[in-house]
């Protein structure tokens, strides 16, 4: 690998790491699945592959197309805000009723299909994912020399895969602390309020736009 490719790979790795290492809906979901030890490999693999696909599309030019279609961006934001709102309310309900939390930990297991559906929703209905992977990574990747774009994508995709694996499997180290129902209540409360804040943040441009046009 030449110097240009090495630099591009390092740029992709650093950029993707800076974008995904933050508290968000997708990361919170992966963390909770890791703590619950439910289909962790499936969730980690899906999120990593989805990020890789979206970043590849962004570098190939889909980012410019999405930025030029405000109606599609608005529709995505509206659906994403509703999903985040619903999940936030559910998380707060779990935190409010610790008995349900204990039952979920000890007996009820979520099916692989249901977990995949939730992972897909957190990934594909989250406008932040498109902003980070398609628009931002795509814009930087498109600026790389043509021969180095593959290395840039490899660096970005490896950062995403490493982060999701660390988040999903590293959560097991916290399992002894989360053996207490109070810890699950705290986690669900934090996740719930985070989801509500994200829903408000995502919906704010839509609401301000409708109010200004009224």
């Amino acid at each position: 690998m030449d110097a240009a490719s090495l630099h591009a790979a390092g740029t992709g790795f650093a950029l993707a790491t800076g974008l995904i290492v933050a508290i968000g809906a997708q990361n919170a979901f992966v963390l909770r699945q890791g703590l619950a030890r439910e289909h962790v490999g499936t969730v980690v693999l899906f999120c990593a592959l989805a990020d890789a696909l979206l970043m590849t599309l962004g570098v190939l030019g889909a980012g410019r197309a999405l930025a030029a279609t405000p109606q599609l961006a608005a529709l995505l934001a509206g659906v994403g805000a509703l999903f985040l709102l619903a999940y936030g309310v559910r998380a707060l309900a779990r935190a409010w009723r610790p008995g349900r939390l204990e039952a979920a930990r000890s007996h009820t297991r979520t099916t692989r299909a249901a977990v995949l559906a939730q992972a897909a929703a957190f990934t594909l209905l989250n406008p932040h994912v498109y902003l980070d992977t398609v628009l931002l990574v795509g814009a930087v990747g498109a600026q790389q020399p043509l021969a180095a774009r593959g290395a840039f994508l490899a660096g970005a995709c490896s950062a995403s895969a490493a982060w999701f694996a660390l988040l999903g499997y590293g959560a097991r180290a916290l399992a002894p602390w989360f053996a207490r129902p109070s810890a699950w209540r705290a986690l669900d409360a934090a996740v719930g309020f985070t989801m509500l804040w994200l829903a408000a943040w995502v919906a704010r441009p839509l609401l301000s736009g409708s109010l200004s046009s009224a």
Side-chain angles (χ1 to χ4, degrees):
M1 184 179 291
D2 57 24
S5 296
L6 282 174
H7 180 268
T11 301
F13 189 92
L15 176 63
T17 301
L19 291 174
I20 65 176
V21 180
I23 297 175
Q26 188 185 43
N27 285 343
F29 175 71
V30 175
L31 175 63
R32 197 175 198 283
Q33 290 304 122
L35 290 168
R37 302 188 182 186
E38 286 189 339
H39 311 298
V40 180
T42 300
V43 171
V44 168
L45 180 61
F46 177 87
C47 291
L49 290 178
D51 265 16
L53 175 62
L54 292 173
M55 287 187 286
T56 301
L57 291 175
V59 173
L60 293 179
R64 292 191 295 271
L66 184 61
T69 313
Q71 294 85 358
L72 178 60
L75 176 62
L76 177 66
V79 175
L82 289 176
F83 175 78
L84 292 171
L85 175 63
Y87 193 87
V89 171
R90 288 183 58 191
L92 291 177
R94 288 195 303 265
W96 186 257
R97 299 176 181 176
R100 290 177 57 191
L101 287 174
E102 292 177 3
R105 282 195 308 118
S106 58
H107 300 293
T108 304
R109 302 271 310 173
T110 307
T111 64
R112 190 182 305 274
V115 168
L116 268 177
Q118 292 182 65
F122 277 118
T123 301
L124 303 178
L125 296 181
N126 185 358
H128 293 175
V129 171
Y130 294 93
L131 175 64
D132 292 346
T133 59
V134 179
L135 294 179
L136 297 181
V137 174
V140 176
Q143 296 173 4
Q144 304 299 315
L146 184 61
R149 290 181 186 176
F152 173 86
L153 276 172
C157 294
S158 62
S160 173
W163 169 250
F164 286 125
L166 177 64
L167 198 61
Y169 291 104
R172 296 184 179 183
L174 300 175
W177 190 71
F178 279 95
R180 298 173 296 175
S182 60
W184 281 94
R185 293 188 68 179
L187 175 66
D188 278 324
V191 168
F193 284 118
T194 299
M195 297 304 122
L196 294 183
W197 180 84
L198 287 172
W201 191 91
V202 169
R204 184 180 60 179
L206 299 177
L207 297 177
S208 61
S210 61
L211 290 176
S212 61
S213 61

